Amino acid sequence: MPGVGRLRLFSALGRCPQKKNTAPSRLPLLQPLLLLAIAALCFFSHSPLLLKLYPVLVNLLLLATFGYSLFRPPSVAFRFALLADKLKKPPHKIEGSLGEKHVAAYCQKVTLAWCLFFVLNATLSALTVFALSPAAWALYNGGISYILMGTLFAMEWAIRKMTDKTIPKATPLSAFAPSSRKADTVLGYSGSFSMGKHQTWADFLAGTGALREVLAAAPQRRWVLYCNDAWHFLLAYAALLQCNKEVLLSAHISPAYVAEMAEGAQGDTALLCDEEGVLGLLPGSVFVPSILQGGPPPPWGTEGVPPIEADARNIVIYTSGTTGKPKAVRHSLRELEADNAFVLSKWGGELLSRKLCSTLSPHHIYGLLFSIMLPFTAGIPLRRERIEYPEIFGQLVDEAYCIVSVPAFLKRAVELAPREGGGFGLRAPWVVSSGGAIPLEVAAEVERVLGVWPVEIYGSTETAGIAWRNSKAGPGWTPFEGVQFWQNEEGCWGLKSPSTGGEGVLMGDWVEWLPQGGFLLKGRVDSVVKIEEKRISLVEVENRLMLSNFVEEAAVLALSGKRQFLAAAVVLSAAGKKHFANRNKLCINTHLRQHLQPFFENTLIPKRWRYVEALPKNAQGKRPKQEVEALFAGPYAPPLIPPSLVGEAPPSLPRVLLLPHGLSANLVEYTVDSAVVEFALPESSPYFDGHFPGFKILPAVAQVELVYACAKQLFGSQEAGFSIRSARRIKFMARVAPEAKLRLELEFEVPVGEARLWGLVRFVLKSPGGEVVYSTGSLACGAWGGEL
C-alpha cells in the first residue's frame, strides 16, 4: 500500500530527543497511532475512495507534524540531527557546539522545504484521486511521488555538504590538527585590527613547532609560564601541553612566588617567558621571542601534531584564595574547555562577529579562559597587547570588538570616558566581565560610554565559570549548563560541573535561591567573622558604609591586637571630600561610626580607620587581602581632605619649584607638613623619549623623580641633605600623557620621637579636579647618602 513505509518516519520522530527547556509535545507520540488508525479504517471499510485518499492523508499528517515543529522548535530536521548526534563525541557533536544555532537555522529551512513538498505532493495525489484514472493514481503514488521525494533528499544532501563548510566549528586545543583551519586564518593582531599586523594559523603551527623543539629537549617537567604578550602565551601554552609538561601559572612573578612554585622541585622547574627581566629567576629559563625569531622553525610535518592528553591535570593555577595564602589549583585541559563550550554555545554569535581584546593578564583563570583559549577555539583574532588604560578604547573604532574586562577597569573606563559624544565611539562592542559583581549604576554607565550592557560571569579558580547574568534584566544569576548544586550540613552550598572534573567544590559565597530559578549572591562565606563571640559579615559592614553619601568604596577586615576588632579602609566620595574639607580624621571617624550605630552593636563597629585615594586592586579587579592589611601596618599620617590652605608660604620658599630638565611647577598650597604643586609636562620633554616608542607615556621612574624633586625643595634640610632610602606601596593607576595638567599632593610625616631629619613623604599624583588618579605611594626620605 503506497505510503505505509512512512510509518517508520513517525516512529523515529517519537524517539527523537527534546531540547532542554522546551515543553514536550504529545504530537510525535500520536502520529503513529493516527497513521495506524487511518490504515485500519481503509482496510476494514473496503472503501476504494479511502484507499486512494490514504497517500493524501499521510502527506497532510506529515505536513502538520513538520509545520507544528516550525512553531514549537526544535524542528523535525533538527531532531533527526540530534538523534544522529548521540553517536558522535566532542568536538564533533552538534548540541552545545559553536555551530549549533547555525545548524538549527539550516534545519528550520529544511523543515520548511519539506512542508512545501508535502503541500505539493498532497495536491497532486488528490488530483489523481478525483481527476485521473486509477492507473495514473497508482503510477504517481506508487512511483513518481517516491522519485520526487528521493530527488528532494539528494538535493538537500548536496546543499547540506556545501552549507556544512560555512558553519563555524569550534577547534579546541585538545583536538586541533594542522588542517583544522586555513593557513591564512587570522588568529592574532597588534594594535587595532585594521593596522594589518596579523598572526595566522600558519604562524601558530610554525611557532608551536619551534617552541616544541626546545621544550621536548629540555629535562625540566614543570614550567612557570609568564608571557604578557597574548600571542606568545598562546604558543607557549600549546607547546607545553603538546610536550606533556606541567604548566604553572601565577599572576605574581616575584622571586618569592617563583620560589614557592618551585619548592621541592627546584631542579625540575624552569621558566618560559617573554620578559627579559625575569629570566634569572630560575635556571634553564627559555626566552620565547628568541626562539620565535631564531630563523626558520624546525620542520613540524604536515601529517599531524603531537596529541595533547586532555584529561591530564597538568595545568596548575596559583591563587591567593580566600585566606591570602597562595595555593595551587589543578585543572585538566578538558575541564577548562568545558567552560569554553558553554560560553560558545550561549554567545558564539556575539564572539564570531567581533575581534577580541582584553584588559586581563592571561595568568589568571578568567584571563586564560576568555583571553586565550576562547578566541583560539572559536577562531577569532585576539589582541596581543593587554589594554592597560581606558584611553586605548579610543583607538579601537575600526572594527566591532569583544572586550574582556573586570568591574574595576570598567568603572575606571566610565569615569575617564569623554562626556561628549556618548563615550569612546566603539562600533557595536560586546562586553563580558568577571571578578566581582558590577554595581547597577556602573553597568548603566558602561552601556552609555561603551554602547552595551555588560554580561557578567560568576566563577572562581577552583570552579571556572558557574553562572552568568545581565543585570539589566535583574540581579539574579543563571547557572551554567551542567552545574549541579548541593548543600552541606553547615548550610554552605557546593557544586559539581564539567569544569570541576565531577568533584564537589564548596562555593565561596552565600547564596539565596530565587523562586523563578537562579540565585542572588549574599556575600563571602569567609567574610563572616566573630568579634567578641558575635558573628558579623564584613561585606554587610562595607555595604552599610557605602550607603553613606560620603563613602564611595570601603574594605573592612578583622585585625587582632589584645583582642580581635574590625578595621575599615575608606575611599571618600566627592561629596565626602567636600563635606570634610579642612576637618581632621577624628571628625570623619566620628561621623562614620554614628552612621553605623543604628545597624550594629558598638563592638562590631570598626575601631581603626584609613582614608585612601583608592583601594588596592590587582589586574583582575580583586582586592588583595595582604595589601589592604598593609594599610594598617606601621605609622599612619591621616591625609588632609583636601589639604588646608595656609595662605602665604614662608619667604624662603619659592613660588615656583624647579624640576629636572629645565621644567618647573607652581606651588599652590603649603603647610609645614604638606603641600600641593601643579604642573604640566610638554611633549618635547625628555621624559617621553624612548621609553614607549610610538606611544608617549610618562614612565614610572620619572613620576618618582618628580615627586622627589618637589619633596626635596619643600621638606628637605639644606644642612643635612635629602635623599631617598626606600619606596613603599607605590601604585601606578593611569597613563600620564604629554601636556596633561597634573596636581601633586604631598605630605611629610615624621616618626614619633624622631628629629626632623627624615620622614615619610606620601604623595598622590592626579588631575587638577581629582577625576583621575595617576599614581600614589610613599618615599622614605632623609639625611643620608645616595641621592636619586
Side-chain angles (χ1 to χ4, degrees), residues 546-625:
M546 287 187 288
L547 289 176
S548 167
N549 187 45
F550 298 151
V551 176
E552 179 177 309
E553 196 172 3
V556 177
L557 67 162
L559 299 178
S560 297
K562 292 182 179 179
R563 62 180 63 88
Q564 195 173 42
F565 59 92
L566 295 186
V570 174
V571 177
L572 293 177
S573 64
K577 292 176 181 178
K578 181 177 179 180
H579 180 80
F580 295 116
N582 302 319
R583 302 187 188 185
N584 60 26
K585 179 172 178 277
L586 179 60
C587 174
I588 310 173
N589 293 356
T590 301
H591 175 88
L592 293 181
R593 286 195 184 103
Q594 291 174 348
H595 171 75
L596 293 176
Q597 279 177 350
F599 307 106
F600 306 108
E601 298 180 35
N602 188 56
T603 55
L604 302 180
I605 294 176
K607 299 296 185 290
R608 295 181 66 186
W609 301 81
R610 293 288 184 266
Y611 300 99
V612 294
E613 288 288 340
L615 292 175
K617 289 185 174 67
N618 59 23
Q620 285 72 46
K622 296 185 177 181
R623 297 196 301 248
K625 183 179 179 182

Side-chain angles (χ1 to χ4, degrees), residues 275-346:
E275 299 284 339
E276 289 184 329
V278 301
L279 278 172
L281 292 177
L282 286 173
S285 298
V286 173
F287 189 50
V288 172
S290 66
I291 304 300
L292 299 180
Q293 298 170 5
W300 44 266
T302 57
E303 70 284 351
V305 293
I308 295 175
E309 295 185 21
D311 293 312
R313 306 194 84 189
N314 55 0
I315 302 170
V316 187
I317 304 175
Y318 285 80
T319 175
S320 59
T322 57
T323 63
K325 183 179 180 180
K327 64 176 181 179
V329 179
R330 286 188 173 272
H331 281 288
S332 70
L333 182 60
R334 195 177 306 281
E335 291 168 5
L336 298 180
E337 287 178 345
D339 184 284
N340 280 176
F342 173 80
V343 172
L344 291 174
S345 69
K346 184 72 179 176

